[in-house]
DNA sequence: CTGAAAGCGCTAACAT
DNA sequence: ATGTTAGCGCTTTCAG
């Protein structure tokens, strides 16, 4: 592969000049520029990105930490991230942590600041201490989907109002006349989906109902998890007419459980999810859900990270941990998995 | 961030020695090694991967070219690739081409050989000429899922016998008594899925049937594509009792079309796919399909690429384009979307 | 407007 | 067993 020096020789200039035309650093005469460009073209020269990274003190890559890229939501997000990065000439390294903080730390230690200029964190079960350490080593970190716009995580983040998402989903069910609603939370009790559950409780309260009386199950954030939880819920509470689920994947699982039980969705049971992953649209019946601004969040996250990376070390200090972008509000998407509560007791 | 030189100073040795203990290049006394290790620990030193890449003349990353990471099959494959790479201390850069050769070329030109040491190609609609050019620039390329074990692509590859997959799927349908089978091919007529369709034709021929008489539709390789094709097929050929689909995603779409038409799968219509993506297991009814060795293919691809990267430039010359690994055979996975052909004419 | 020169952090001969 | 010395390819002052 040709190097910049060869291009320079070919064009009869010095490396510095080639570098200048490459980076549009003004200081080059038109004739010279032409010659350099010609040399670049005939030699088929491409900058050596690793060399450039070293010289600039900044790699052109950023790392996306996820627990597993195979979780159906993450690829949609990763795609949006990659698109945003590509537009700004950066590259995406995918780091699967398998939900294991150790693996996450190993990744951070190895690449943050040396191979990637910054880190995007998408629900990867990382230690906050490790993330802080990463920042201290000079690689900014941003949390991609912080669920509580009204509580600072202590790390730069883009926030999405998932409490509101929960509220909208629940309100939708209530407006259809449902009162006996089962809840499936796709995380541990005080885990990542807690805000969504709070939204449910808020909606119930607003309707003068006691949300805490609604039966709830905590499940893994997977189809299977939702399936099993729904099965249990429906069997122990045969009077339920609707299921509020804190994420689409378990909601889809819940619909399968209903199918397994011979229950018609939405005639006998309504199911609502949160996020609006592609599968939600493609399931039968199509899933009613609360759409979250995935692409917008990805773009905000990339923009914020860029800012932090480019900020002079000093400037980053103050208020760095208080950098929070709030993405636009979630909105209800009514599809086929929810309907009015049956007049007669169907079940 | 501390540098190797600082570690050396701290330990009272020279950079070379630190480098040696880091890379286990023998030639270091035990006492010295201890001191160096101690210095590394107290300073929290981590090698600068970009610097190392430059000095070694080889980046620790490889690029995975895919048309869109959001296609449900790719993340499963990407996960397997990332796992394999992680084990060998390498990192994964995801390159979405959006199915556009231009975008693919831009990616290849930029990073191949400068930021990534090699390229894995997963059905990204790339120009072979561009891939050859990439090889010439010193970055080995391997095709991850070559569909024809018996035809050399002219580029190193791992092959999976998709013709056989098609044959197995079709034979399964035939064994259930189906004779009026519709075909949905998830690519252009002579496109990527051609071998799978040939497998179908072979199975028909083996049963002394005229496969070419079976109605066929070419669709996009998506749920929607399969849905639309199935709808058309079922409406124009109301006598069909089964659908052979060359990929799981369109097969899933076909099942939805059946649902839309009020057809019961598998009682009135059997549907079979190919690949066995996770969704196949999770759909209702669960999809009968022919499983393809995804993880194995990913591991073979990574191993082959590594070999090519490490091969001395000269050695790589001969037989390089004839490097083909064949992954183990696909196998039929019978689930709930296929059943015996109805005795009475149900439709 | 262009050239010369000093690194960026690490590796790899080659000396000692 | 350890030290010396060049680079890897590029960027970036600072001179001219």
């Amino acid at each position: 592969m040709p190097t910049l020096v060869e291009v320079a020789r070919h064009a009869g200039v010095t490396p510095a000049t080639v570098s200048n035309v490459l980076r549009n650093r003004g200081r080059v005469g038109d004739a010279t520029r032409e010659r350099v460009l010609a040399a670049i073209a005939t030699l088929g020269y491409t900058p050596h990105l690793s060399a450039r990274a070293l010289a600039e003190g900044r790699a052109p890559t950023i790392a996306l930490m996820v627990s597993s890229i195979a979780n159906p939501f993450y690829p949609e997000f990763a795609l949006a991230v990659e698109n945003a990065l590509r537009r700004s000439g950066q590259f995406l390294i995918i780091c699967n942590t398998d939900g294991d903080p150790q693996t996450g730390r190993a990744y951070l230690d190895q690449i943050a600041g040396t191979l990637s200029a910054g880190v995007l964190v998408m629900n990867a079960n990382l230690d906050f201490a490790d993330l802080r350490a990463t920042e201290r080593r000079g690689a900014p970190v941003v949390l991609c989907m912080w669920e509580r716009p009204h509580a600072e995580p202590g790390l730069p983040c883009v926030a999405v109002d998932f409490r509101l998402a929960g509220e909208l989903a629940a309100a939708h069910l209530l407006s259809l006349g449902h009162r006996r609603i089962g809840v499936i939370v796709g995380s541990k009790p005080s885990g990542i989906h807690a805000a969504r559950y709070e939204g449910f409780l808020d909606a119930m309260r607003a309707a003068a109902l006691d949300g805490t009386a609604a039966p709830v199950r905590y499940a893994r954030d997977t189809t299977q998890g939702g399936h099993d939880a729904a099965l249990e819920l429906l069997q122990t509470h045969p009077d339920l007419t609707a299921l509020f689920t804190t994420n689409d994947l378990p909601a889809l699982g819940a619909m399968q459980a209903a199918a397994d039980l011979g229950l018609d969705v939405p005639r006998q049971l309504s199911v609502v999810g949160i996020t609006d992953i592609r599968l939600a649209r493609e399931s039968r019946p199509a899933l009613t859900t609360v759409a979250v601004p995935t692409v917008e969040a990805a773009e905000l996250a990339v923009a914020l990270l860029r800012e932090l990376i480019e900020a002079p070390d000093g400037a980053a200090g103050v208020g760095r941990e208080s950098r929070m972008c709030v993405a636009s509000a979630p909105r209800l998407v009514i599809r086929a998995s929810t309907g009015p509560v049956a007049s007669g007791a169907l079940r």
Side-chain angles (χ1 to χ4, degrees), chain A:
Chain A
M1 279 195 356
T3 73
L4 181 144
V5 174
E6 287 167 34
V7 171
R9 209 155 34 215
H10 199 91
V13 297
T14 66
T17 301
V18 177
S19 179
N20 281 336
V21 352
L22 245 29
R23 323 182 58 85
N24 274 316
R25 284 267 180 146
R27 347 169 118 283
V28 182
D30 281 0
T32 318
R33 158 168 287 112
E34 286 311 318
R35 259 184 308 140
V36 171
L37 258 18
I40 288 175
T42 72
L43 261 39
Y45 166 80
T46 324
H48 193 296
L49 264 23
S50 293
R52 179 178 278 180
L54 181 57
E56 281 186 322
R58 161 171 320 160
T61 48
I62 72 99
L64 176 62
M65 315 287 303
V66 296
S67 51
S68 163
I69 188 70
N71 174 321
F73 171 64
Y74 299 153
E76 296 182 29
F77 185 78
L79 178 64
V81 168
E82 191 264 0
N83 270 290
L85 287 175
R86 173 141 39 100
R87 269 179 254 128
S88 64
Q90 298 192 278
F91 304 92
L92 209 217
I93 297 186
I94 293 284
C95 308
N96 292 113
T97 64
D98 303 337
D100 172 26
Q102 293 265 355
T103 308
R105 182 174 332 133
Y107 252 129
L108 291 171
D109 286 351
Q110 283 187 89
I111 74 179
T114 77
L115 187 60
S116 78
V119 177
L120 254 24
V121 178
M122 180 74 237
N123 193 4
N125 193 22
L126 262 21
D127 267 333
F128 263 50
D130 291 334
L131 292 174
R132 291 269 164 53
T134 301
E135 278 187 323
R136 258 179 269 117
R137 297 186 5 169
V141 171
V142 358
L143 269 27
C144 289
M145 281 248 170
W146 182 245
E147 307 234 338
R148 300 167 170 282
H150 306 297
E152 297 279 346
L155 234 28
C157 68
V158 0
V160 173
D161 194 345
F162 275 97
R163 192 210 56 80
L164 176 58
E167 183 174 349
L168 292 174
H172 172 60
L173 255 21
L174 291 170
S175 79
L176 289 169
H178 294 281
R179 289 299 176 270
R180 296 189 303 274
I181 304 175
V183 176
I184 299 176
V185 178
S187 74
K188 302 227 175 70
S190 295
I192 182 92
H193 290 180
R196 309 179 188 196
Y197 183 31
E198 283 163 26
F200 168 85
L201 295 174
D202 291 344
M204 292 292 275
R205 196 172 303 126
L209 260 27
D210 179 14
T212 62
V216 52
R217 289 293 178 281
Y218 295 90
R220 277 175 310 122
D221 186 19
T222 60
T223 322
Q224 189 65 48
H227 175 271
D228 297 350
L231 221 51
E232 204 194 305
L233 225 33
L234 293 170
Q235 282 169 338
T236 57
H237 301 264
D239 60 329
L240 295 178
T241 65
L243 253 25
F244 166 87
T245 310
T246 59
N247 220 2
D248 284 350
L249 229 38
L252 260 11
M255 287 213 295
Q256 295 172 359
D260 292 353
L261 257 27
L263 257 35
D264 183 90
V265 174
R267 234 164 30 84
Q268 295 170 279
L269 182 77
S270 285
V271 178
V272 63
I274 292 179
T275 307
D276 196 21
I277 61 178
R278 233 156 61 174
L279 279 177
R281 199 176 7 259
E282 295 177 352
S283 72
R284 292 301 140 111
L287 182 70
T288 293
T289 186
V290 178
V292 139
T294 307
V295 172
E296 184 194 353
E299 284 167 356
L300 288 174
V302 168
L304 176 52
L305 186 58
R306 247 175 84 87
E307 245 178 74
L308 293 172
I309 290 173
E310 270 156 23
D313 275 354
V318 178
R320 180 174 179 142
E321 60 289 330
S322 62
R323 293 301 295 270
M324 178 162 90
C325 300
V326 181
S328 49
R331 43 172 245 290
L332 181 66
V333 179
I334 300 176
R335 285 199 273 252
S337 70
T338 51
V341 66
S343 43
L346 266 169
R347 310 180 48 204

